[in-house]
Amino acid sequence: MAPTALKAPKASIWCCSQSPAAPLALMPIRSIRCALPLVRQFAGLSAFVAGAPICARGAPHTAISVTSSATGSTSTSSLATTSSIAQVPRPAKKMSGAEIREAFLSFFETKGHKRLPSSSLVPDDPTVLLTIAGMLQFKPVFLGQAPCKVPTATTTQKCVRTNDIGNVGVTARHHTFFEMLGNFSFGDYFKEQAIRWAWELSTGVFGLPPERVWVSVFEEDTEAETIWRDVIGVAPERIKRMGAADNFWSSGPTGPCGPCSELYYDFHPERGTEGASLEDDSRFIEFYNLVFMQLNRKPDGSLEPLAAKNIDTGMGLERMAQILQGVPNNYETDLIFPIVQKAAEIASIDYTSAPPTTKTALKVIGDHTRAVTYMLSDGVTPSNTGRGYVLRRLLRRVVMKGRLLGIRDIFTPAVAEVAVRLSGPCDPAVQQNARRIYDDLAREEGLFVATLERGQKQLDELLAAATAPGGTSIIGGADAFMLYDTFGFPLELTQELAEARGAAVDVAGFEQEMEAQRQRSKDSREMVDLTARAGLAQLAAQVGPTAFTGYTSTRGNGRVVGVMRDGQPVECVVAGDRCEVLLDATPFYAESGGQVGDLGCLLVPGPEGEAAAELAVRDCQKAAGGSVFVHTCEVLAGEMRVGDKVSALVDEQLRLRVRAHHTATHLLQSALKRVLGPDTCQQGSLVNFQRLRFDFNLTRAMTSAEVAEVERLVNGWVAQAVPLETLIMAFEDAKAAGATAMFGEKYDDVVRVVDVPGISMELCGGTHVSSTAEVGMFKILSEGGIASGIRRVEAVAGAAAVEYLNWVDSLMRGLAGQLKLKPEEVPTRVAVMQAELRAAEKQLSELRAQLAVAQSQSLVSQAVTTSKGSKILVVELPGVVDTKALQEAASELQRSLGDPAAVLLATRAEGGSKVNFVAAFSAGVVEAGLQAGKVVGMVAKVCGGGGGGKPGLAQAGGKDASKMGDALELARKMLEEVL
C-alpha cells in the first residue's frame, strides 16, 4: 500500500496503519503536544518506530505524514510494512551493564543533576538493617531534617534485600544484591518533567520501541495519566490504573507519601492489549518506578500537599540489562553471568545444557556471591546477629549450593574474584578491599564446611532414631528446621537423605518453623520508615542547624529554639520534667564517630546573676541528618521556655577524659597497623569517659608480645608530646594526603582532618587533646575476638588509666594481705595452690569412681537375661556421680556381665534437675547392630538433651531429670527388641 498524506487546517499528524481488522485506518492525533514527540523522532533523534503510541490498537505503521499549517507543506515518512505485532523489532540498542549505568547517569548529568556516589550497604539509619533503596541516603532531605545540598541528584545505589530469598534463582528477576539507578529532585522539578525525562531516557537513550512500553498510574492520579496520554502520547490502552497497594508510596503511617507511576516493558506485544495484566511476569517486566512525593499524611489519616514536592525514582540496572541484552533472565546478563560461569567451571558443569535445578543453584551462587562481596567490602562481618547474620546466611547458601553441585574444595574466593572484577563502575572500593574479602570468604567457608560435617552427624542420629524399631520413620519439622537453620541443610537435601534411609520429613512442620523465623526476622523489612521519631524530626527541620562551638570551648551561650516533652513539642518545661532541648548554638558534642555525647548543664539566667532554671544534660545526640543537636535533659529547678537564652556548661573533667580516649584511639590504630600490617583497619569503635573500645579485622588472636608492642608504641608517642594539628580540606584532598576514614562514617565534600604528624592522620569530627602528652598514659585491658575475623581491644588512657592501675594495685595488696605475703610473692603462691587443688580434685574423682564401681556391683543381680542369652542392665545409679565415675561403673558392670551384655546407667547431676547417661556395650552387642553412641543419644533426647560417643562406650546428658523414668524405659525396649 502506498503511503497516504492528508492535509488538515491545523498542524497535525496522521497515521496510516494496516491490520487484519482495519485494512486502512486514518486517525488524527488529539493535540500538537502529542505530535511533538513524533516530530522529534523524525528529526533523526532516534531510529525506532515513533508512531506506535497513537495508532489504533498498536498496529504497525506503513506511513506517517506531517502537515504544517504555516507552510502548507507535507512530509511523509515510509516505514516497512509488517503483518503482525509479533514482528515489532527488538530494542534498537544492545548495551552492556556498564554502558547502561553510564548512559543513565550521564543523561541526568546533562539535565543538571549532580552525580553522587553510592552510599554504604551499612546505612546511617537505625530503622533499617541494610541499604535497601536508592532513596535511603536522601531520607533526611526528604524529611526536611537536613539541608538540600543540591537541587537534583542522580546515583547508582548498591542494595541488598533478603525478604524474597527463596525466589532467587527461581524467578527471572529476584535478587538479594542489585543496583538501583535513580534520579532525584528535592523541590526542583516535579511530575511532568520527571515523566518527560523517563520517556526520553527509555525510548531515546535506551532505544526501547515506544509501542512496547506500558505505564501504570495510581488510580486517583488523573494528572499523571493525562501527562502520559496527552503530553507523551502513550496509547490509553497501554496505561493502567492500579490501586494503592501497587502505585502509592508511603513512608509509614504518617509523613511524606505520594502516587507512583511505573514503566513496564512488553516482551509479547503479539498478545494484544485486551485483558492484558501488568502482573503477568511472563509478558511484562517493570523497569522504572517514578515516585511523586507530593503529599503529607497527618496523624488523623488525612492528606495535605507538601510545601516542597520531591521526585524519587528507581530503575533496576539488572532488569534493563535483561531487556537490552535480549536474554531470558537477569542472571544471564553480563552483570551476573560471568560469576555464574565461573561457578559452573569450578563444578565442571556446562550451564547451557544443565537441568533446571542445576541452573537454579548456579544462579543462587552468582547472586549471593555479589551480595557477600559488597557486604564484606563495606565492613559487614559474618556473625549470628543483625546484618552479620544476613551475610553468613547468604554465604552458607552459596557453599551449600556448591556442595550440591559436587564442589568439595574451598571455592568462594575464586568465584568472588569475578564479582570483584565487575565491581569497579559500581564501587571502586571493592577492588581495594579484595584481599580482605577473599580471606574472609575462605575462613568462613572453611568454618561452615566443618559445621556441615557436624550437621551430617546430627542427621545420622535423627535418622537412626526415626528408623529404629519402634521409631516413627519421620524427621520432625523442628529437627529439619534445626538442620537448615543451624547447619545449613536445605530441606530438599534432608528429604533426599531421609528417603534413602526409608524415612520422610514433616514438611508442614518445617514450614511452620520457617514462618516463625520470618516473623522474627522483620529487622530486614523492606519499608524505609521516614516517620521514626517524627515529632522530633519535624521540629528539627523547623529550627534549622545547630552551630557547634565545642572545639574551642566547653562553655557557651545559646537560645532555646525548641523543646520536646513526651514526644511532643512544648513551649515550657518545669522542675521534674524530662525533655529534649534544641539550641541555636552549643558547646555540647553530640554523639558521633564512636564518641559519646557530652554531659553537663544548662542554666537560664535570672535576676542578680542567679539561675532562674537549671537543667542537667544527660546526653546529646544528633538529628536532622546530623545538623541539629538534641540535648536530653532533666529540669532540676525553675522553668525554661522556648526563646530563653541559656548558658551551656559542659562537664570539663569528663570532656578531658573523652578527649584523651579519642586521641588514644587514633594512636592505637596506627600502632596496630605497624605491628599487624597495613591491611589492619577499623571495624567499629566506642570512646567514652571510662574507656575506649576499638574493633579491627584480624583472623587470629594477637600474641602477648604483639599486645605489649602496641602498648609500647602508643606510650612512646605519648611521651614525645607531639602537637596535634586540625585541618579543614576537601574530601578528595584529604584522601590524597593519606587520611584514614573512620568506619561507618559519611563525609561531606569538605572534611575535618586530625593529624598527629608522622604518626596518624584521620578524618574525624571528634574532640581531641592538643598534644599527645595530654593522653597521659595508655594501658590495654583486653584483646579478644567478637566475631569471625574481628578482634576487639579495650583500653584506658589518662585519668581512667591512673584509676585502673590504682584499682589493680589495691586488689593485689589486699590479696597479698590475705595470704600474708609480699605482693611480688603472690603469683608463685597462687601457682602452688592451683597445683594442690588439681591434685585434690584428681584424688576426689578417683575416690568417687571407686565408690561408684562398688555401688554398681550390687546392681549385677538386676540384669535381665534375654531369650537369646544376652544380658541387659538399665538402671539409675543412686546419688550424684560425675560422668567419669559413671563411665568406669558402666564399663566394670559390662565386663562383669560378660558378652553379649549391654549396660546403660543414669544418674542425676548435681542440683538434681539434670541427668547423665552412660552406655557400655560388649563386642557381641555391637555386632548385633547396636551402637552405644546412637542409643544413648536417643535416650537422652527424651530428657531434652543429647550426646554420643563410640560404639562400645558413650555418654549423654539431659535437661529434664523428671523424664528419667521414660528415658530408661525407652532404653530397655530398644535393647530388648534387638538382643
Side-chain angles (χ1 to χ4, degrees), residues 233-409:
V234 178
E237 57 267 24
R238 294 206 319 281
I239 303 175
K240 295 288 187 180
R241 288 182 175 235
M242 301 181 75
D246 297 297
N247 279 67
F248 193 89
W249 179 88
S250 62
S251 60
T254 62
C257 56
C260 307
S261 186
E262 297 170 335
L263 282 71
Y264 292 77
Y265 184 76
D266 185 0
F267 288 106
H268 297 285
E270 72 276 5
R271 297 180 186 176
T273 60
E274 192 68 32
S277 171
L278 295 179
E279 296 180 0
D280 181 0
D281 287 342
S282 67
R283 176 175 178 178
F284 297 102
I285 181 174
E286 176 202 338
F287 65 88
Y288 205 177
N289 182 22
L290 315 178
V291 176
F292 310 125
M293 205 178 300
Q294 64 190 63
L295 301 169
N296 178 61
R297 193 186 303 277
K298 297 192 291 186
D300 62 3
S302 61
L303 299 173
E304 62 181 4
L306 283 173
K309 298 178 180 180
N310 303 311
I311 290 293
D312 160 25
T313 81
M315 174 182 284
L317 175 61
E318 292 80 6
R319 296 188 176 200
M320 183 55 75
Q322 179 193 344
I323 296 170
L324 295 184
Q325 294 174 19
V327 293
N329 56 72
N330 293 0
Y331 301 96
E332 296 183 28
T333 67
D334 67 343
L335 295 166
I336 307 175
F337 196 57
I339 310 174
V340 173
Q341 285 181 309
K342 182 62 177 182
E345 174 190 326
I346 294 173
S348 300
I349 292 172
D350 177 20
Y351 177 86
T352 57
S353 61
T357 54
T358 298
K359 285 186 175 180
T360 296
L362 290 168
K363 291 174 184 176
V364 170
I365 292 175
D367 170 88
H368 288 8
T369 297
R370 285 210 306 168
V372 299
T373 296
Y374 281 88
M375 290 174 73
L376 287 168
S377 177
D378 278 353
V380 181
T381 56
S383 69
N384 292 325
T385 59
R387 57 182 66 95
Y389 173 74
V390 174
L391 189 153
R392 174 165 282 170
R393 183 184 180 200
L394 294 176
L395 180 54
R396 289 187 170 189
R397 279 174 60 87
V398 171
V399 177
M400 198 70 241
K401 295 298 183 182
R403 291 179 74 83
L404 288 173
L405 296 177
I407 302 174
R408 289 294 176 265
D409 297 328

Side-chain angles (χ1 to χ4, degrees), residues 41 71 102 201 235 258 274 431 466 566 646 668 683 752 878 916 920:
Q41 301 298 342
T71 64
E102 182 56 34
L201 175 70
E274 192 68 32
Q431 294 180 352
D566 299 328
V646 299
L668 172 61
Q683 299 295 311
R752 183 171 183 264
N916 292 323

Side-chain angles (χ1 to χ4, degrees), residues 431-668:
Q431 294 180 352
Q432 299 169 13
N433 297 325
R435 186 70 267 155
R436 176 168 57 83
I437 293 170
Y438 303 148
D439 291 343
D440 288 349
L441 287 173
R443 181 178 60 259
E444 183 69 13
E445 183 179 357
L447 291 172
F448 181 49
V449 168
T451 301
L452 282 177
E453 293 172 352
R454 293 195 300 272
Q456 183 68 59
K457 293 180 181 179
Q458 190 82 8
L459 178 57
D460 288 341
E461 292 181 6
L462 291 170
L463 288 172
T467 57
T472 61
S473 297
I474 294 177
I475 299 294
D479 289 328
F481 181 77
M482 177 272 295
L483 290 169
Y484 164 81
D485 194 45
T486 304
F487 299 107
F489 275 66
L491 177 62
E492 58 270 20
L493 177 61
T494 302
Q495 288 177 300
E496 180 181 332
L497 296 175
E499 184 179 354
R501 297 276 292 273
V505 177
D506 177 11
V507 177
F510 175 88
E511 294 297 341
Q512 185 176 352
E513 295 288 334
M514 179 67 82
E515 180 59 30
Q517 187 204 53
R518 292 192 186 103
Q519 293 301 316
R520 293 191 299 267
S521 301
K522 285 188 175 180
D523 283 342
S524 54
R525 53 192 174 275
E526 185 149 330
M527 177 183 289
V528 178
D529 184 6
L530 298 188
T531 63
R533 303 184 74 189
L536 178 61
Q538 292 175 3
L539 179 60
Q542 294 171 8
V543 303
T546 306
F548 177 58
T549 61
Y551 286 132
T552 57
S553 176
T554 56
R555 294 171 176 263
N557 297 318
R559 185 174 60 87
V560 179
V561 293
V563 180
M564 296 284 294
R565 184 182 61 208
D566 299 328
Q568 298 297 324
V570 295
E571 289 297 315
C572 175
V573 286
V574 298
D577 285 349
R578 294 180 179 272
C579 57
E580 294 168 307
V581 178
L582 284 63
L583 305 177
D584 62 350
T586 182
F588 281 82
Y589 183 85
E591 180 173 337
S592 61
Q595 179 178 329
V596 298
D598 282 328
L599 306 183
C601 66
L602 302 178
L603 301 177
V604 178
E608 299 180 0
E610 294 185 359
E614 180 180 358
L615 291 81
V617 179
R618 308 297 190 192
D619 192 14
C620 190
Q621 297 286 331
K622 288 184 177 182
S627 64
V628 175
F629 289 31
V630 181
H631 307 75
T632 301
C633 299
E634 179 182 356
V635 185
L636 301 179
E639 175 182 289
M640 187 187 72
R641 292 181 172 275
V642 174
D644 283 348
K645 292 183 178 180
V646 299
S647 295
L649 310 177
V650 175
D651 187 316
E652 292 186 1
Q653 293 304 312
L654 293 180
R655 171 68 78 83
L656 288 172
R657 295 168 73 102
V658 82
R659 287 170 58 195
H661 280 143
H662 204 152
T663 302
T665 302
H666 286 213
L667 301 180
L668 172 61

Side-chain angles (χ1 to χ4, degrees), residues 115-194:
R115 184 188 298 207
L116 298 177
S118 169
S119 63
S120 170
L121 286 172
V122 180
D124 185 21
D125 187 331
T127 68
V128 286
L129 200 62
L130 292 161
T131 297
I132 57 176
M135 59 77 63
L136 192 60
Q137 66 171 301
F138 304 115
K139 170 181 169 180
V141 178
F142 286 137
L143 272 178
Q145 297 175 344
C148 177
K149 297 180 180 178
V150 293
T152 59
T154 184
T155 66
T156 177
Q157 176 63 55
K158 51 191 177 181
C159 302
V160 169
R161 294 182 188 172
T162 58
N163 54 308
D164 289 326
I165 191 171
N167 290 325
V168 172
V170 178
T171 68
R173 53 195 70 117
H174 271 94
H175 299 291
T176 55
F177 177 88
F178 58 94
E179 280 187 66
M180 187 63 73
L181 303 168
N183 58 285
F184 306 90
S185 168
F186 311 112
D188 189 71
Y189 64 86
F190 194 55
K191 192 174 297 184
E192 181 170 336
Q193 191 61 71

